Amino acid sequence: MEVLEEMDEVEQTREDVISLNISDSLDLETDEEKKASVASDEPDFDWSSIDTSHLPSSYKTNSRREKELLQLADHFFQQYTHLNPDRKPLFIHPVNECGVQKFVSTTVRPTLLPYPDMYYWSGCASFVCDYLIMEPLKCSITPPSSLYSPTTILKYRRGNCFDFTVLLCSLLIGAGYNAYCVHGYATLEMCSLDQTQELCPLLRKPPEVPKEEVPNKYRIKYPLEPQSKFELQQKVRKEKETKPAQEEEREEEVVMEVEKPKRDALHGLRVHAWVLVLSGKRGVPETFFINPFTGNPHSTTDECFLGIESIWNHRNYWVNMQDCQKGCRDLSFDLSDSFCWEIMFSESNKRSHLPTESPTESPKKDTDDVQENEEIDMSFEMPLSWVAQIRVSWREYENPFPGGKKVILYNKAKLEKWAAYANGDGLVERLTVYADSERTEELEVKEWFKHRKDQLYMREVNKQTQLITDHFKPGHPLLLKAHSYTSLEPETGHTVEFYHTARFDDLWKRFENAAEMTEYFVGREDFLHKRHIEFDEREKKVEKAGITADANSRPIVQIKEYFHRNPEKPVDEDIEERIFMVRDDIIRLTYHLELYDIIASQVVFRRLRGRKKREDEILLTKENTVKYQPWSSEKHKNLFHLNNLLGKLKAEQKKLKEQVRNSEAEMLNILMVRADEEANVKLSVSMFSTAKRRQEHRATVLKEEQKSSQSSLESKNEHIGGEVESLTHHTATSSTM
């Protein structure tokens, strides 16, 4: 043991020299790096001033088993540093908020919070990154000397990357995930929470899955195009002539690279902590990382993660024995592989490969004894966590942002988040996309809402065209799904989408402006899928009393209807397009095509020229009927059949006019309702939020009291007015007598 102590002293002197060299490189940090290391504009929090008197005794003392655990951890650390003198010190037993050494595994407290989102890793990660304020490490190249309990971190709502990681890992393990805390190294941007060069996750498009082409062995193989030898010689000659110019361009590129800002002087040395989630449990298909500062998932091959020293959970501690020169790209996360991961406490029927001895026994064996290098059982049952139960109230869960708001800057984008009910219109998230990196010219704005009674959950605004698109959840009284507009004034260009399965007419979408209206249908029994209406300008009439809006409605020019193929009908009776030219009194029918036909069959009915039209008159002659039906049956050539068809079409035209007027009235009603909903936004209160329900109840009671007081005042005024009138009437009658 004396030899080991001398070796430790030598190793400490080496580490001191290395730390001095690294401290010199710390001075090379640029102003930009220092600015990036600032997590927020809030003043530094003094952790030494926190009150620890109310904390449980487990925070201030160690039990017998915890002391034994610390002894085993110290022994493991000594053997590790002796066998790996070039490795950095392990993060094993930092002090807690009471100044007591605690093993890192016992700081993890598995907890499942009673909220639906906290059962999934995404909900846990977003809560932690939103609820806590990020604090950078005091020294960016060494792990912290202390690790506070998750309860204290939740109370003061701030912490460094290790505090974030332990809290997130506790929630994930409680939710059933195979999660681990990771002590390793990452890039400057990840350690300092600098996302100004990253693309916003909300703007990332899902990867396109390439379609697999089925090989066809009968495909014709075309011969290769013949090439001229003379042209090839000329091409080689031109390449030789342009080679010097290309070399000059390369030299200019090298000069430009020299002018670029220098690489991070501490690249690969910056300490960071994050969460590792192994595949298997909870249906996780692939192992991945979670950055606790952002809550975003990352692949284990992500270049932002530069190396791993150790990982731990609530049961054990593992040291990475793999080479990290290429980052985490080639690391194996099979923790049962003792060549890749050195476990501190061997699990059942497994032994450690480090030469160890029991810390409670004195070294009686000779140092030359062969048994010193044998595999010795290191199985140990981890004591329970010393941390108190993690609790998060419903109010804290619904208001995760310190100060009620959070702003994240991305590359050409800005993301703002608010707590629920912080804004009167239910706004909880806003993403602004810019045209430049300085974020001066806005291109698009997306807003997300919660708890709105009108079921509005997202709004998109195109700043260039001023087009607004509102998206609704199912449950709107008008069955709205989406509404695109530039103004809520009528006939200014509106596109409305409906939940068509809930409508009796199967209407899916309607577009309307001053000149036209187009309706789209899905799944109708009559196979109608599109209707297009053209309007003329209104007649400019002087408004008179008693004239309704319908009296000055837009005149209908024509109505077009399009139908899908009905397989139950023969082709010569299945209409594909139907046009009612209302102004010209022309009806045109176009039928579906047969499989090998080119020109469709048509029937056109038009009014006789020089004859005054009478209402509901049907006059059919050879002069006013044009038909092209080369393959039709004999009944289509019969004038009686065409007369019956014309009668049905006239009745259909009358119904269509009524439907068009109903559609116009429905659009006006939609615009009135939407204008009222935006002017008087109402939010629904969750059944779990008792405080909000009390506040809403008080507001309704106050409104009722105000209404009752106003009605009582009005009744008093009416009573006083009636008495005055009766008094004046009495005086008038007395004076006449």
Side-chain angles (χ1 to χ4, degrees):
M1 293 299 292
E2 293 178 358
V3 176
L4 288 176
E5 290 176 358
E6 291 177 0
M7 291 292 293
D8 292 339
E9 291 177 0
V10 174
E11 290 164 5
Q12 288 177 1
T13 56
R14 289 177 183 173
E15 290 175 359
D16 293 338
V17 173
I18 294 171
S19 62
L20 287 173
N21 294 333
I22 293 174
S23 63
D24 293 338
S25 65
L26 283 171
D27 300 332
L28 298 176
E29 290 186 86
T30 60
D31 295 336
E32 294 180 359
E33 292 172 350
K34 291 179 181 178
K35 289 179 182 179
S37 64
V38 179
S40 62
D41 297 333
E42 297 185 4
D44 294 337
F45 182 75
D46 186 12
W47 284 102
S48 61
S49 61
I50 64 174
D51 183 18
T52 59
S53 59
H54 65 284
L55 295 176
S57 59
S58 61
Y59 286 60
K60 303 173 184 178
T61 58
N62 283 322
S63 63
R64 180 184 61 81
R65 293 188 61 193
E66 285 181 316
K67 292 178 182 178
E68 184 179 356
L69 173 62
L70 291 175
Q71 291 178 357
L72 291 171
D74 283 333
H75 188 72
F76 180 89
F77 180 73
Q78 290 177 6
Q79 298 296 331
Y80 171 78
T81 53
H82 175 66
L83 296 175
N84 304 279
D86 297 331
R87 294 282 295 269
K88 294 289 185 66
L90 296 176
F91 186 69
I92 295 182
H93 43 55
V95 297
N96 65 357
E97 54 265 46
C98 297
V100 179
Q101 274 191 343
K102 296 289 185 178
F103 189 65
V104 289
S105 293
T106 60
T107 309
V108 178
R109 175 65 187 264
T111 304
L112 176 61
L113 296 178
Y115 307 114
D117 291 344
M118 304 301 285
Y119 186 65
Y120 303 96
W121 70 263
S122 55
C124 297
S126 61
F127 172 77
V128 171
C129 70
D130 292 339
Y131 192 81
L132 303 180
I133 298 174
M134 176 265 189
E135 289 185 349
L137 295 173
K138 292 182 179 179
C139 180
S140 58
I141 61 173
T142 57
S145 58
S146 60
L147 182 64
Y148 291 177
S149 64
T151 54
T152 300
I153 297 301
L154 282 172
K155 179 180 179 181
Y156 295 99
R157 304 187 70 163
R158 60 183 64 243
N160 55 40
C161 55
F162 286 84
D163 300 321
F164 274 67
T165 299
V166 171
L167 174 59
L168 178 56
C169 191
S170 300
L171 298 178
L172 291 176
I173 295 174
Y177 289 94
N178 193 10
Y180 301 83
C181 302
V182 181
H183 162 215
Y185 306 94
T187 58
L188 169 64
E189 291 76 17
M190 181 164 287
C191 295
S192 58
L193 191 54
D194 180 13
Q195 303 180 77
T196 55
Q197 301 301 320
E198 295 182 10
L199 181 66
C200 179
L202 297 175
L203 297 176
R204 292 174 187 166
K205 296 180 180 179
E208 296 181 357
V209 180
K211 296 181 179 179
E212 296 182 359
E213 295 183 0
V214 180
N216 186 5
K217 62 180 180 179
Y218 300 106
R219 187 180 59 182
I220 300 174
K221 295 182 180 180
Y222 296 97
L224 298 175
E225 293 183 3
Q227 292 183 346
S228 172
K229 293 183 179 180
F230 175 76
E231 290 179 355
L232 292 174
Q233 292 174 359
Q234 292 294 326
K235 188 176 181 180
V236 172
R237 186 177 297 175
K238 285 182 180 179
E239 288 179 355
K240 289 181 179 179
E241 291 176 357
T242 57
K243 200 171 184 179
Q246 291 178 355
E247 290 179 355
E248 291 179 1
E249 291 178 359
R250 288 175 185 173
E251 290 177 0
E252 291 178 359
E253 289 178 358
V254 171
V255 172
M256 291 294 292
E257 288 179 359
V258 172
E259 292 177 356
K260 287 182 180 179
K262 294 181 179 179
R263 188 168 176 258
D264 182 18
L266 300 178
H267 184 77
L269 299 176
R270 295 185 182 275
V271 174
H272 191 56
W274 62 92
V275 175
L276 165 69
V277 181
L278 294 183
S279 60
K281 284 189 176 181
R282 289 295 308 274
V284 176
E286 188 177 357
T287 300
F288 65 97
F289 294 146
I290 301 177
N291 184 9
F293 283 163
T294 62
N296 296 331
H298 296 265
S299 171
T300 55
T301 60
D302 196 321
E303 295 180 354
C304 295
F305 301 96
L306 305 177
I308 294 178
E309 287 287 350
S310 60
I311 65 173
W312 67 91
N313 62 2
H314 62 301
R315 291 179 177 172
N316 220 321
Y317 190 95
W318 292 264
V319 180
N320 179 30
M321 307 303 293
Q322 303 170 77
D323 187 10
C324 293
Q325 290 184 357
K326 296 182 181 180
C328 302
R329 195 168 46 186
D330 300 330
L331 294 186
S332 169
F333 292 96
D334 182 10
L335 301 183
S336 62
D337 189 352
S338 59
F339 294 98
C340 297
W341 298 92
E342 184 60 46
I343 191 170
M344 179 174 288
F345 304 110
S346 297
E347 298 174 352
S348 58
N349 300 326
K350 294 183 182 179
R351 296 177 180 272
S352 173
H353 288 273
L354 287 175
T356 57
E357 58 185 13
S358 177
T360 56
E361 297 180 1
S362 58
K364 297 179 181 179
K365 299 179 181 179
D366 191 9
T367 56
D368 297 332
D369 195 351
V370 181
Q371 294 181 355
E372 182 176 319
N373 293 326
E374 290 182 355
E375 296 179 353
I376 299 176
D377 188 8
M378 283 285 290
S379 60
F380 180 78
E381 187 178 355
M382 188 71 64
L384 297 176
S385 177
W386 54 273
V387 180
Q389 186 177 358
I390 299 174
R391 298 178 183 273
V392 177
S393 65
W394 176 256
R395 181 177 296 179
E396 293 172 338
Y397 174 71
E398 274 205 332
N399 300 277
F401 307 111
K405 183 181 178 181
K406 182 178 181 180
V407 180
I408 307 173
L409 299 179
Y410 294 99
N411 183 23
K412 298 182 181 181
K414 179 175 70 173
L415 182 62
E416 301 169 271
K417 294 183 179 181
W418 290 270
Y421 303 103
N423 297 311
D425 58 353
L427 179 65
V428 294
E429 204 166 326
R430 178 190 291 144
L431 174 64
T432 308
V433 182
Y434 298 90
D436 54 345
S437 300
E438 288 76 19
R439 292 180 285 275
T440 56
E441 182 184 353
E442 294 183 357
L443 292 179
E444 185 183 3
V445 176
K446 289 184 179 181
E447 296 178 334
W448 287 266
F449 302 86
K450 275 187 178 181
H451 308 299
R452 286 188 57 141
K453 287 189 176 181
D454 58 2
Q455 304 302 322
L456 177 68
Y457 73 92
M458 187 175 73
R459 172 173 292 156
E460 298 177 274
V461 182
N462 190 326
K463 289 295 184 178
Q464 294 179 331
T465 61
Q466 300 302 319
L467 180 66
I468 304 171
T469 304
D470 295 339
H471 299 269
F472 302 86
K473 293 179 180 179
H476 193 276
L478 299 178
L479 306 177
L480 298 180
K481 185 178 182 181
H483 180 203
S484 300
Y485 58 95
T486 55
S487 171
L488 287 176
E489 294 295 325
E491 301 175 12
T492 56
H494 297 268
T495 302
V496 182
E497 293 184 22
F498 302 92
Y499 287 97
H500 62 90
T501 55
R503 290 181 63 101
F504 69 93
D505 57 353
D506 296 313
L507 178 63
W508 165 55
K509 185 169 69 171
R510 178 187 291 140
F511 168 75
E512 184 196 29
N513 58 17
E516 60 182 351
M517 178 191 294
T518 307
E519 296 178 327
Y520 301 89
F521 303 88
V522 176
R524 282 178 64 109
E525 293 181 356
D526 57 358
F527 294 89
L528 174 68
H529 66 90
K530 183 180 177 181
R531 179 184 293 147
H532 180 73
I533 304 101
E534 293 182 9
F535 298 100
D536 200 358
E537 294 182 359
R538 285 188 176 89
E539 297 179 3
K540 295 182 180 179
K541 295 181 179 180
V542 180
E543 294 184 359
K544 298 180 181 180
I547 296 178
T548 60
D550 294 336
N552 195 23
S553 57
R554 292 176 292 179
I556 301 173
V557 177
Q558 72 174 7
I559 303 173
K560 289 184 181 180
E561 290 187 320
Y562 302 89
F563 299 84
H564 288 302
R565 179 75 176 92
N566 185 358
E568 296 181 357
K569 285 185 177 181
V571 177
D572 57 353
E573 296 181 7
D574 194 11
I575 298 173
E576 181 181 11
E577 183 183 56
R578 190 166 64 178
I579 303 176
F580 297 91
M581 299 180 186
V582 180
R583 174 177 291 177
D584 300 329
D585 203 8
I586 297 175
I587 302 174
R588 176 178 291 160
L589 304 179
T590 304
Y591 292 86
H592 281 278
L593 289 170
E594 279 285 4
L595 185 60
Y596 299 106
D597 288 338
I598 299 175
I599 302 175
S601 176
Q602 289 187 352
V603 177
V604 181
F605 301 97
R606 61 165 64 104
R607 187 179 59 198
L608 286 174
R609 294 181 181 178
R611 181 181 176 87
K612 291 184 179 179
K613 178 186 174 184
R614 298 177 185 176
E615 189 176 359
D616 298 334
E617 179 187 18
I618 300 175
L619 184 61
L620 193 67
T621 63
K622 293 181 179 180
E623 298 176 1
N624 68 342
T625 306
V626 178
K627 54 184 180 297
Y628 175 76
Q629 292 177 316
W631 40 261
S632 63
S633 58
E634 289 297 328
K635 71 175 183 178
H636 290 86
K637 300 176 183 179
N638 189 356
L639 199 62
F640 179 74
H641 169 74
L642 294 175
N643 191 53
N644 291 337
L645 179 61
L646 180 58
K648 292 179 182 178
L649 292 174
K650 284 289 185 180
E652 285 289 333
Q653 180 176 331
K654 189 175 180 180
K655 290 181 181 179
L656 282 175
K657 287 181 180 180
E658 295 179 359
Q659 291 179 6
V660 170
R661 298 308 178 196
N662 292 336
S663 298
E664 289 182 289
E666 184 181 13
M667 286 298 296
L668 289 174
N669 183 39
I670 289 172
L671 297 180
M672 290 174 59
V673 171
R674 287 294 301 124
D676 181 65
E677 288 173 347
E678 290 300 322
N680 305 299
V681 177
K682 296 180 181 179
L683 303 179
S684 60
V685 182
S686 173
M687 61 181 296
F688 299 102
S689 181
T690 55
K692 285 287 180 184
R693 285 190 170 276
R694 289 173 184 170
Q695 186 178 357
E696 191 180 35
H697 178 68
R698 290 172 186 172
T700 53
V701 169
L702 286 173
K703 285 182 180 179
E704 290 177 357
E705 289 178 353
Q706 289 176 358
K707 287 181 180 179
S708 61
S709 62
Q710 287 179 359
S711 61
S712 61
L713 285 173
E714 289 176 358
S715 62
K716 285 181 181 179
N717 292 333
E718 290 177 357
H719 180 67
I720 293 169
E723 289 181 351
V724 170
E725 287 180 0
S726 62
L727 182 62
T728 54
H729 179 70
H730 179 69
T731 54
T733 53
S734 61
S735 62
T736 54
M737 291 178 66

